[in-house]
Amino acid sequence: MNLRKIKLALTVDLLNKSGGNSSIQSVKEFMIAFKNEVGNFIGQTIIKHLQLSQALVHQTISIQYEHLTLHINFVNNISTSSQYIQGFSVR
């Protein structure tokens, strides 16, 4: 598995999203392209949940695949129902 290739492709995909509004679902859809390398989707778990204000929540979500775990940090705006990905790590 080429982690560098996956990280670079995911970074470029997130940067190309219009308006900067990326969702966790769009990341999972993107990872389908790497199914042969990362394996099947196992599940996702909220690792961290921090209320920043009445409208903003910071979360870290772990998305597990058979051969890889992806941790995504994002801010969720409850009032507009938008998610903004701040960063990610691959393990």
Side-chain angles (χ1 to χ4, degrees):
M1 174 176 17
N2 188 345
L3 289 179
R4 186 175 180 184
K5 177 182 167 185
I6 294 170
K7 287 165 55 173
L8 179 62
L10 182 56
T11 300
V12 169
D13 183 65
L14 291 173
L15 287 172
N16 288 331
K17 294 290 181 197
S18 63
N21 187 6
S22 303
S23 68
I24 301 303
Q25 185 61 34
S26 67
V27 171
K28 290 195 294 190
E29 290 170 2
F30 173 80
M31 291 299 287
I32 291 172
F34 294 97
K35 185 175 181 178
N36 291 336
E37 295 183 47
V38 300
N40 292 320
F41 173 77
I42 296 174
Q44 72 181 36
T45 308
I46 297 174
I47 297 175
K48 180 179 173 185
H49 180 90
L50 177 63
Q51 190 78 32
L52 300 175
S53 68
Q54 284 184 314
L56 298 175
V57 176
H58 180 269
Q59 290 183 324
T60 301
I61 291 190
S62 175
I63 301 175
Q64 294 93 19
Y65 295 91
E66 290 175 335
H67 308 294
L68 177 130
T69 300
L70 181 64
H71 289 197
I72 302 172
N73 299 313
F74 70 98
V75 174
N76 188 10
N77 188 332
I78 299 167
S79 61
T80 62
S81 299
S82 26
Q83 295 178 341
Y84 299 94
I85 295 178
Q86 292 186 313
F88 67 90
S89 63
V90 177
R91 298 174 184 169

